[in-house]
Amino acid sequence: MESLEGVGVATGIAIGQALLLFDEETLVFKETIKVDDTEKEVDRFRAAIGEARRQIEAIKDQVSAKIGEEHAVIFDAHVLFLDDQSLIKETIVFIRAESCTAQWAFNQVLLSILHQFENLGDPYFVERGKDLEDVGKRILKILMGGKPFGFQNLKENIIVIGNEFGPSNITTFDHPKILGFATDLGGQTTHTAIIAKALGLPAVLGLHHVTRRVNSGDLVILDSFQGKVIIDPDRKTLDAYKKMQRAHKRQVVLSKKSAQAPAITIDGIEVQLQSNIEIPQEVDTALAYGARGIGLYRTEFLFLHYAPDFPSEDVHFDTYCRIAAESAPFPVTIRTLDLGGEKFFHRAFVKEKELNPVMGLRGVRLCLFRRDIFKTQLRGLIRAAADYANIKVMFPLITGVEELRIVRKIVSDVADELESEGVAIRRDIQIGVMIEVPSAALVADHLAKEVDFFSIGTNDLIQYFLAIDRANDDVNYLYEPFHPGIIRLLQHIIQEGANAGIQVSCCGEMASSPLYASLLLHLGLTQLSMNPTSVPAIHHLVREIHVGKLREAIPNPSKFTTGVETRAQFRAALKNILPPKTFRRLIEDHGRRKS
Ligand code: PEP
Ligand code: MG
């Protein structure tokens, strides 16, 4: 048995036989042809381009019908490569000059372009290179008589394993026998991850060397909750996972049933549970799982989707209207662009390498640096908020009042501009900020006077406060939500929000873990936002916890010296307060998986 760790996408546990998909079919060898045959070869190449175009258009239509037109846009970029005259002309010149097969010529041209992209060292071009590679492989397969991945005759339940899959491969995985996929490369913000999520296909990406560790036919467990792949599991692990899988399926059915029940604690505190989403398709799932609105829509995913272009004002408008309409009457908090840091795409327009991107041009700073992009987003957003009163606007990475005022001034300028163009707008849109930078937390009293709400982003707040890169595995052990310093900071933010009478919520990962959520409830939060599939567990916790008793057991959670001690105190208190079965399922089992 061997366990590998990566990034989990689209939650679920899948158990099945590994099927390795390599690209051996695209291994190309140099083959020369007779000079007289070169024109036939050129024709064959042109025909392959035509066939690739037909295939991509068909995938595009399929994606559009299945998961929405906005996801199909990715394939427009693929089609553009087929119109790239340099790629086509250079290949034809190569065939004629070298009297070689079209696949050899095309492969040489393709590799040289991919090499140029790679040498630019810019993550934007690396991503463009991946798109080109996806298209290139398709053309090579056509030229070599291969068929696109086809799974019609699958008999066993399969987990597809590969080095990296392009978005067009993923769409072919939409088959009842394919339960999920795992790759060596890739991460949360790739197009592949976005499409997997939209299809609800569990995946674990970025496993580094899964293709070297697993063989086709091996039994594999794919745990996308924890981002784990377990190869050849022993009996005990397999049984435990089968149990977890059944429990999860049961939980989904149960939670969908109980989703409509209000989330009220035993001592009568009503808690609003909302969802964080990355793509509009998640609204349905979020509501089905019991979320009462969207507490965070990460609009950077909309930008990633339209890369290398930017979403137009109308795309912003349509997307926000769609999310608001589907979520009504519940609120929808739309966070403006938060690219930067580990979210790579921004370099395409910043054009500078940053030594310390997490502290660089990210979030609202990037928006102030490129106000044109920011204003386009705000125009779409303000127009949508005029039509949908449930839309709220939120700014990420705010460090203090000065920055907030600059941003608010831009919002009001954009509103004036729209009004002067005769567009009906609403002046009372609720505007809030993420509290995710320690300086903002400490001036929460000042900020609270100038906004309608706070949402605590514990993912970044912990990262910046404890000085640990949230994406760096080596320092991950320091990432401690129970750190007494973090608890004091949370107490301060919540208190200042209450003093000013504004709503304070938490949309960081802390809200999705029952153990940490119990701390947040203890501290007085009554609004939590989390990924859709975490809602049922937190809903369950809320309905069975007595917050008063927890406060009696632990009057001041920040008094313990260490996070370890705080955790032990919370676990002990919850063991007494929650029904034993609930404690086992939410704190013990969940703790093993999450916290
Ligand atoms: C956070 O920082 O806690 C947060 C919710 O924002 P993101 O994870 O998108 O940075
Ligand atoms: Mg954040």
Side-chain angles (χ1 to χ4, degrees), residues 562-575:
T562 66
V564 173
E565 207 181 322
T566 317
R567 184 185 313 272
Q569 292 289 337
F570 265 80
R571 287 174 75 95
L574 290 168
K575 193 164 187 180

Side-chain angles (χ1 to χ4, degrees), residues 12 90 359 583:
E90 276 183 47
M359 297 211 208
F583 178 77

